[in-house]
């Protein structure tokens, strides 16, 4: 999962395995959460989002789980592919309605063929 | 194609010079944002704008300035007052204040 510090957490998986990336968020007022994928040298791409009135949301091959009690967010990627290799960021809105997102440090996912 | 463009992709400047990074979007989004990303770190918000002719400081606005004279444009100036300007700069936009932010490809600024 994500943590404070200069070294990004890393997750290494084999192609075809399921991946779980964790994120501990800090602001209990946050009611909107979002996961982004960032490939090297590129801008982040949206993966999936979830509001605090839900605890699970599914997309194509991805699922986001939200546990408000312990302020924890996870991203599950099914049947991980080499193209999923990237840095994954979670972000929270701090309960604001004006788009100010606070990003986590990121997790490096490496998928081995 | 709709999207966000940032130019240039790479930018080199000498210390003490101001430099302006371009961000343009044709998504008809009201809100636009500037983030800074340093190696091994997440994105930090510099400035954001919810509507034309209005903008607010983010978490690390010192040494930066912005303008929002047109809906589609949100240029960022990195001034000589910014102590550590070398970084990857990302621009984003969103339909309103809430929801998904769409990111541009980024500008990597190197100041020597």
């Amino acid at each position: 999962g994500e943590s404070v510090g200069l070294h990004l957490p890393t997750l290494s998986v084999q192609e075809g395995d399921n991946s779980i990336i964790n994120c501990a968020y800090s602001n209990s007022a946050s009611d909107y959460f979002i996961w982004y994928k960032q490939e090297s040298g590129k801008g982040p791409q949206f993966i999936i989002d979830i509001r605090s009135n839900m605890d699970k949301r599914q997309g194509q091959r991805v699922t986001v789980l939200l546990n408000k009690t312990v302020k924890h967010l996870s991203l599950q990627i099914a049947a991980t592919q080499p193209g999923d290799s990237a840095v994954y960021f979670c972000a929270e809105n701090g309960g604001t309605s004006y788009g100010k997102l606070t990003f986590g440090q990121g997790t490096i996912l490496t998928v081995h063929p | 194609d709709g999207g966000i463009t940032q130019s240039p992709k790479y930018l080199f400047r000498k210390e003490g010079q101001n430099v302006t990074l371009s961000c343009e979007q044709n998504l008809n989004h009201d809100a636009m944002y500037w983030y800074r990303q340093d190696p091994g770190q997440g994105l930090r918000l510099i400035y954001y704008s919810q509507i034309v002719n209005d903008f607010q400081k983010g978490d690390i606005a010192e040494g930066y300035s912005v303008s929002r004279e047109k809906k589609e444009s949100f240029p960022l100036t990195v001034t000589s007052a910014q102590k550590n300007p070398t970084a990857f700069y990302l621009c984003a936009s969103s339909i309103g204040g809430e929801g998904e932010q769409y990111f541009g490809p980024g500008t990597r600024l190197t100041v020597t």
Side-chain angles (χ1 to χ4, degrees):
Chain A
E2 301 188 12
S3 60
V4 175
L6 294 178
H7 301 287
L8 290 183
T10 59
L11 177 64
S12 195
V13 301
Q14 290 296 127
E15 182 177 1
D17 287 351
N18 295 335
S19 302
I20 300 176
I21 301 170
N22 296 303
C23 176
Y25 65 92
S26 57
N27 193 333
S28 56
S30 292
D31 56 11
Y32 176 72
F33 306 87
I34 191 165
W35 280 99
Y36 282 95
K37 170 187 179 184
Q38 187 178 27
E39 296 173 342
S40 182
K42 296 184 179 179
Q45 285 177 274
F46 170 84
I47 302 172
I48 193 166
D49 58 3
I50 189 168
R51 296 200 176 273
S52 60
N53 60 351
M54 303 173 70
D55 52 22
K56 180 180 179 178
R57 190 162 187 230
Q58 288 184 292
Q60 189 176 17
R61 276 201 311 120
V62 293
T63 302
V64 56
L65 298 177
L66 174 63
N67 185 330
K68 295 181 286 295
T69 303
V70 295
K71 292 191 285 187
H72 184 267
L73 198 64
S74 68
L75 176 71
Q76 300 178 359
I77 305 174
T80 317
Q81 303 165 2
D84 294 327
S85 294
V87 180
Y88 289 80
F89 294 97
C90 66
E92 58 180 304
N93 74 340
T96 66
S97 61
Y98 47 80
K100 187 178 174 189
L101 294 176
T102 300
F103 283 78
Q105 190 182 8
T107 296
I108 301 172
L109 174 65
T110 304
V111 183
H112 300 283
Chain B
D1 286 335
I4 303 179
T5 56
Q6 291 184 244
S7 60
K9 188 168 176 63
Y10 299 96
L11 192 53
F12 298 89
R13 280 292 182 271
K14 293 289 186 188
E15 200 174 312
Q17 293 179 335
N18 290 355
V19 59
T20 297
L21 281 59
S22 166
C23 177
E24 304 277 330
Q25 55 99 1
N26 61 3
L27 300 167
N28 200 33
H29 286 172
D30 285 316
M32 296 186 75
Y33 314 83
W34 274 106
Y35 292 90
R36 170 187 172 129
Q37 187 175 31
D38 292 286
Q41 296 190 36
L43 283 65
R44 292 183 289 166
L45 183 65
I46 304 173
Y47 267 99
Y48 63 100
S49 167
Q50 294 178 268
I51 198 166
V52 174
N53 292 323
D54 183 60
F55 49 83
Q56 306 294 328
K57 291 183 180 180
D59 299 319
I60 54 164
E62 187 176 347
Y64 299 98
S65 66
V66 293
S67 63
R68 186 86 188 276
E69 295 174 5
K70 298 187 294 184
K71 188 176 186 177
E72 57 271 22
S73 179
F74 191 40
L76 173 75
T77 297
V78 184
T79 76
S80 56
Q82 168 49 234
K83 293 190 174 69
N84 296 296
T86 295
F88 189 45
Y89 290 89
L90 288 156
C91 179
S93 70
S94 63
I95 292 172
E98 287 194 300
E100 177 189 351
Q101 292 181 17
Y102 294 78
F103 283 84
T107 291
R108 188 166 299 280
L109 173 65
T110 303
V111 177
T112 57

